[in-house]
Structure formats: structure tokens, C-alpha cells
Amino acid sequence: MAALIEDYALIGDLQTAALVGRDGSVDWLCLPRFDSAACFAALLGDEDNGHWRLAPDGAGACTRRAYLKDSLALESVWETARGTVKVTDFMPQRDRAPDLVRIVEGVSGQVDMRSVLRLRFDYGDIVPWIRRTDGHRVAVAGPDSAWLRSEPPVPTYGRDYSTCSEFTVGAGEKVAFVLTWHPSHEPRPRLVDPHEALEHCLADWRAWADRCQYEGPHRDAVVRSLITLKALTYAPTGGIVAAPTTSLPEEIGGVRNWDYRYCWLRDSTLTLKALLSLGYEEEATAWRDWLLRAVAGKPSDLQIMYGLGGERRLPERELPWLAGYERSQPVRVGNGAVGQLQLDVYGEVIDSLHVARRGGLLAKPHAWNIQRHFLEFLQRHWREPDEGLWEIRGPRRHFVHSKVMAWVAADRAVRALEADPGLGGDVDAWRTMRDEVHREVCARGYDAERGTFTQYYGSRELDAAALLIPRVGFLPPDDPRVVGTVDAVRRELTCEGFVRRYSLEGRRVDGLPGDEGTFLVCSFWLADALYLTGRTKEARKLFEQLLTLRNDVGLLAEEYAPGAGRLLGNFPQAFSHIGLVGTALLLSGGDTAD
């Protein structure tokens, strides 16, 4: 059975990523891209679905572990009866082929080590043919090929369709393993020097982290979240995946298991604001440019998510040979929500480009035309029901958040034309739309009896997305309707102080069975709303509580289960780390509501 979600650490090369457990097992890795089929899929099944464990023989979890300072290189230390050993895991930023490097170093005594490499291509389903050649073990199956070597060479043997190694390291001795993937029809890729690669990896990450302009009291947490966001960036295009995993459940044993290895537009504004606020203009530009390429086309064809390069077709299917994380089935790849109508994404795109413009990014000549066409589409369609921010799989409704984001779209366009009338556009029509949306939301999306905005028109259910109303400028933070909404969310949607997305009691708005945990980014939104409504002490207390939910290496999943005290959902989750950075900025005075 896979480890607890919080027992994993992330390593990656800005094109894909691996999860490494406390026991030294790499249980998840997709090659060559985040969205490729996994060659290690034990995370969603068992060891027979692929993993690579490298640890002292007979040992369990490591004694301690940590990232080497301001990097994505993971150091795990085992203290055993015979001595102490450390393993450094990382993936060099690649030239062409992806490499997974694992360096074993003896610290004291004599430690017997064991490596078991079990490659299973196509999400743990295909056993490759393995042969020896040129000092390597080479695994081939169809289009995939992986080469394993060690420096210095250690003996290897095959057992149970695995490649095994047993060796001993003493104090100061090192053994490095390198696993390299490449298309099976191509020649062997260039060999990397594992020790030089580690030096370059550390230098690159530390130089990048040094650019962070945040100097507040939580710098370590902010830098770790920024490194995580960078690690989830697909460098060739600038796209940022929501998470490197699929089907980690929102409820253990439940069906809420989705593929998050794609790029969501809902993350765009908050991502851009964080990057620009902290000095990462290059990354902000790459994300803005990815956004413009992805959304190009007919406004009616806008999607809520895209592939790493802006791909539109992400068909959802199930993998029945995988038992699922802790028997949580089905395991899904692809995401059927790609075809949903979510009107809020038009507001997200326009707001993102507004943030980019205000942040001083070099303008793209076609960016304003795209925004104008989106506004024209929204003028015709904002009154329609949609599936909403949370990708419900029930009937369409008039979600309040979707309407608020339609208001944001009109508001940002009006502000852009007021600042630069030469851009062109019907500013009077957009002002009219802005006013109409505002009136309707306040009339139909607000429950005067309870003093709160609701999830959708006519409902009594609440939605944590209403916490964004002051953040986006729809109403000022001191408006009684905002304060009432914050109080209602705390009263009805929190569990041990953390926030659920929406109620799962009574009518099932999302069309799905089962439960889910508290949603971490929504909890950060509550901290923001408390701060904006003048409850600074409570905001800081909640933020500190949220920081305690990070695992030992500073990572957050999508959700948290208060009763069980464990992380849930895909991991690590970009949205959660964006929330952490945004709240840290707000509490330090480095950000404000729009």
C-alpha cells in the first residue's frame, strides 16, 4: 500500500516530477512529461505497478529528511545500528532526456544498501524487456526505453521482473545511480555526471530562490511554495500544472478522484499576482504568454483547462488495472470537466491580462483584441447558468461566483479603457453590463435573511468562493454584506477552523456521492477575508494554523481531513501553494484587494 500522501516529497526537472516516500521509494513518475503515462505507479496501486526503492537493507522510513537549502534536491538520512547513510534524490534540469539521479553517501560506519527498481510502463501495466549493454541495464517496451547505470558500478541481478542491487557504503564513500528515459527508437542519450549535475542543480535553484523579494516573517514557507510552483511549471511552454498527480482521492475510498496534470485558467490571476509581486517577471511573462496561446480562438471555445502546451482534447478514461490509492476508485486519466461551461474563466483571463498590464509586462499587440472578444461573448451569455468554479457534475445553475467574475471582466475592461482610451472598445456598454451584473448578484445571490451571499441564485447553500468578493473589488471589505458572508462561511462551512468549498448536506449540487476534506486554498481565502475585514489577529492565527498542515518538507495537498489529521487530494497542489503565497503577501502589506 502507498504511504500517506504527506509522506511524499517532490523532485522534478521542470518538465515532469516524481514523488519520493520516506522509505526511499519513488512511487510516482511520468515520463517524459507531467501528463505522460507513469512508469512508477505504485502510488495508485502496489509495488507491481512500478517503483524504485533505494534504502538500507531491511530499513523502514528514514530518520529525517529535508530539501537541501532553497533547492529541489531531497536528502534523506537513515541512522541504523551499523552506521548512518544519506541518499540525495534529484532530477537535473534536462538537456534532452530526463534523468532521475540518486546518490548514496556513507556518513559513518558500514551500511548495507539495497536497490529494487521495478519499471512498469503505461501506468503500471506493461512489463518491459530488460537486457545488459555497455554497463547499463536497459528496459524497453514499445515506445519507451529506460537506462540504469551506477558510478562506481555495483552488481545487479534480476528477480521477479525487477532489477536489484546490494552493496555496502562506508564513511565518505559514494555510489550514484542514474535512470534515464528516452524514446526506444533513438540512440542512447548523452550520459550525465551525477555529481556535477547535483552541483549545477543546487546552484540553479539557489540563484532562482535568491530572486524572491519577499522579506516577511514567513520567508522560508513562501520560498518553498515558490519553488514548488516553479517545479510544477512545464518549462518549454510556461504552463503550470495544477498538480503532478492524478486520482489521489478527496475522500479515502471515494470516487472523487481526478487528473490534475493540466493547466487551469482559474489559477491564472493569483499566480500572476504572486510572481509579479515577488520579482519573477520572467516566469510571469511565460505564464501570460502560455495563457494567450491557449485561449486563442473563438470565445465560445474557451476551456477551463488545457494541456501543457495548450492542448484542448483531454479525454477522460479509467484505468481498471490500478486498485487506486487506498482502494479509492476509479483511477482516472484525462479530465472530462474540460468540456464544461464555466463563465468565471472569462473573468479570470481578462483579470490576468489586466494584472499583467498593470505589472509592467511587455504588451502583446493581440492581447487586447482577445479581451474585447471575450467581453462581447460575456455580454451575450453572462445571464446563462453554468457548471461553476468547482466543476460540478450536476445540472447547471446560476452560480454567484461566475456572475461576480463576469462583473470582474467588465470592470477590468472599463478600467483599462479609462486608463488608455486608445485601446478601443465600447466603454459605455461595458459600464452598463458591469452595473447590471452587480445589481442582479446583489438582488438574486444575496440572502438578506441570513446576511450572506449564497452559492447560486435561490439557494440556501454557501460557497467559499464568496470570500473572494472583497478580494476582486466587487464590494468593499467593510460592506455589511461582505462581513456577513465571512461570518456565515465561518459558521457553516468550517471544520476545526478550516473551510470546505461548499456544503455536501441536503441537495447534492455537485452530483457526486461521498464526502471530501476541507479545501486548503479556501482556508487561505478565509484568512484573506478576515484580514480585509479588519480581523487581523484572527487572520494571522488561521494562517499560522494552515502552515502547520504542511508536511515535513513544506508541501501541501489540495485538501485536509481534520478528523483524520491527514492530507487529501492531488499533491502537491499549486492552488494551495498559490494561496499560501498570496496570504503571506497580504498579511505583510505586499498585496491589496483589487
Side-chain angles (χ1 to χ4, degrees):
M1 186 175 68
L4 296 176
I5 291 169
E6 55 265 34
D7 284 341
Y8 287 101
L10 179 80
I11 59 174
D13 64 0
L14 306 187
Q15 295 190 43
T16 191
L19 294 187
V20 187
R22 293 177 187 267
D23 62 351
S25 183
V26 181
D27 288 345
W28 182 255
L29 175 60
C30 300
L31 292 172
R33 304 186 350 163
F34 290 107
D35 58 353
S36 299
C39 64
F40 300 141
L43 180 71
L44 300 178
D46 57 31
E47 291 183 349
D48 285 336
N49 298 121
H51 76 119
W52 182 9
R53 182 154 194 254
L54 177 59
D57 191 16
C62 63
T63 307
R64 62 184 181 275
R65 63 177 182 172
Y67 286 112
L68 297 176
K69 181 174 174 56
D70 290 348
S71 80
L72 204 64
L74 178 72
E75 184 178 88
S76 304
V77 177
W78 281 265
E79 295 175 352
T80 74
R82 294 195 60 202
T84 300
V85 66
K86 63 182 179 182
V87 177
T88 303
D89 293 318
F90 68 101
M91 295 185 72
Q93 294 186 27
R94 71 178 76 167
D95 176 17
R96 286 186 58 201
D99 298 289
L100 171 55
V101 181
R102 315 193 73 182
I103 300 176
V104 182
E105 182 177 356
V107 177
S108 66
Q110 297 281 321
V111 181
D112 296 328
M113 299 294 295
R114 179 173 171 81
S115 168
V116 178
L117 172 66
R118 184 175 281 114
L119 282 161
R120 297 292 185 267
F121 295 120
D122 195 22
Y123 297 105
D125 190 44
I126 296 177
V127 180
W129 181 266
I130 299 178
R131 69 180 190 276
R132 296 179 185 268
T133 182
D134 297 332
H136 289 73
R137 284 277 186 159
V138 184
V140 176
D144 297 296
S145 177
W147 296 60
L148 174 71
R149 77 178 198 278
S150 63
E151 295 183 7
V154 296
T156 63
Y157 61 93
R159 175 180 291 173
D160 298 329
Y161 299 102
S162 302
T163 298
C164 304
S165 304
E166 294 165 355
F167 58 97
T168 301
V169 290
E173 295 179 339
K174 295 182 180 180
V175 175
F177 290 86
V178 181
L179 180 69
T180 304
W181 179 95
H182 72 102
S184 59
H185 65 278
E186 293 183 358
R188 184 187 69 186
R190 181 180 65 85
L191 302 181
V192 301
D193 181 303
H195 305 290
E196 286 185 6
L198 178 59
E199 291 180 9
H200 290 308
C201 173
L202 295 176
D204 288 346
W205 277 111
R206 288 167 180 168
W208 189 85
D210 283 346
R211 291 164 48 197
C212 176
Q213 295 177 1
Y214 175 82
E215 297 297 341
H218 302 288
R219 181 176 171 82
D220 287 347
V222 169
V223 169
R224 178 51 52 193
S225 288
L226 287 171
I227 288 173
T228 304
L229 292 172
K230 178 70 171 176
L232 299 180
T233 301
Y234 184 64
T237 66
I240 302 174
V241 297
T245 56
T246 179
S247 300
L248 288 179
E250 297 169 12
E251 178 188 28
I252 299 299
V255 301
R256 298 167 182 262
N257 317 317
W258 315 109
D259 193 347
Y260 275 18
R261 298 172 299 156
Y262 308 112
C263 308
W264 265 258
L265 301 190
R266 71 183 182 196
D267 304 358
S268 57
T269 301
L270 296 175
T271 303
L272 273 171
K273 289 182 75 171
L275 292 172
L276 288 169
S277 297
L278 295 172
Y280 291 99
E281 185 174 312
E282 180 182 337
E283 286 75 16
T285 298
W287 174 239
R288 189 275 313 268
D289 291 350
W290 175 89
L291 182 67
L292 286 172
R293 293 191 303 271
V295 304
K298 291 171 57 180
S300 60
D301 292 337
L302 183 68
Q303 298 183 177
I304 66 169
M305 73 184 86
Y306 295 85
L308 306 178
E311 298 89 349
R312 291 172 177 262
R313 301 194 187 281
L314 310 173
E316 182 175 299
R317 60 191 176 94
E318 298 178 3
L319 306 182
W321 61 87
L322 289 174
Y325 179 86
E326 294 193 21
R327 301 291 171 178
S328 304
Q329 292 182 318
V331 172
R332 297 180 174 96
V333 295
N335 199 309
V338 71
Q340 290 187 351
L341 173 66
Q342 294 183 21
L343 292 172
D344 64 290
V345 299
Y346 293 87
E348 292 288 0
V349 172
I350 292 171
D351 197 20
S352 296
L353 297 176
H354 172 74
V355 167
R357 187 165 48 247
R358 287 198 314 168
L361 296 189
L362 185 64
K364 291 284 186 176
H366 61 288
W368 179 247
N369 284 333
I370 289 176
Q371 294 170 80
R372 288 180 60 178
H373 281 88
F374 284 172
L375 253 298
E376 291 166 2
F377 177 86
L378 269 183
Q379 283 178 282
R380 298 190 300 271
H381 297 281
W382 70 265
R383 293 179 179 84
E384 298 176 8
D386 70 340
E387 273 95 0
L389 169 70
W390 304 124
E391 297 159 20
I392 64 157
R393 303 213 173 189
R396 291 180 178 179
R397 302 179 188 272
H398 291 282
F399 286 101
V400 170
H401 177 73
S402 296
K403 310 301 185 185
V404 168
M405 292 309 297
W407 177 90
V408 168
D411 176 72
R412 304 308 189 254
V414 168
R415 290 163 62 178
L417 276 182
E418 289 174 344
D420 184 2
L423 287 172
D426 192 343
V427 69
D428 290 334
W430 296 343
R431 285 196 187 101
T432 298
M433 173 188 163
R434 181 176 64 178
D435 293 344
E436 288 178 352
V437 175
H438 201 279
R439 282 194 301 270
E440 180 174 297
V441 170
C442 292
R444 301 183 62 190
Y446 181 73
D447 184 339
E449 178 185 339
R450 295 156 66 213
T452 181
F453 284 95
T454 59
Q455 184 175 38
Y456 56 90
Y457 292 173
S459 73
R460 291 187 60 83
E461 289 85 359
L462 301 184
D463 193 316
L467 295 169
L468 294 172
I469 284 175
R471 211 48 162 110
V472 301
F474 183 83
L475 286 173
D478 60 355
D479 188 293
R481 292 167 291 185
V482 170
V483 176
T485 299
V486 175
D487 291 341
V489 167
R490 295 179 82 183
R491 184 172 60 248
E492 299 184 30
L493 289 186
T494 59
C495 181
E496 296 184 15
F498 305 118
V499 183
R500 295 182 179 273
R501 291 186 294 177
Y502 46 81
S503 174
L504 290 174
E505 299 173 358
R507 286 184 293 176
R508 290 274 174 164
V509 69
D510 61 14
L512 294 167
D515 202 353
E516 65 177 24
T518 57
F519 211 74
L520 292 180
V521 75
C522 297
S523 301
F524 285 112
W525 293 349
L526 176 58
D528 297 345
L530 289 170
Y531 179 83
L532 292 171
T533 53
R535 289 171 274 190
T536 303
K537 185 177 180 180
E538 294 170 74
R540 295 189 187 282
K541 180 181 178 181
L542 176 55
F543 183 64
E544 295 287 350
Q545 289 176 315
L546 285 163
L547 291 181
T548 67
L549 303 186
R550 298 174 300 151
N551 74 354
D552 60 315
V553 291
L555 302 180
L556 288 170
E558 180 182 32
E559 300 184 5
Y560 174 72
R566 59 180 298 187
L567 296 178
L568 293 173
N570 284 303
F571 174 85
Q573 176 81 1
F575 218 12
S576 299
H577 285 280
I578 292 167
L580 186 157
V581 173
T583 302
L585 281 168
L586 189 65
L587 295 180
S588 66
D591 190 19
T592 59
D594 284 301

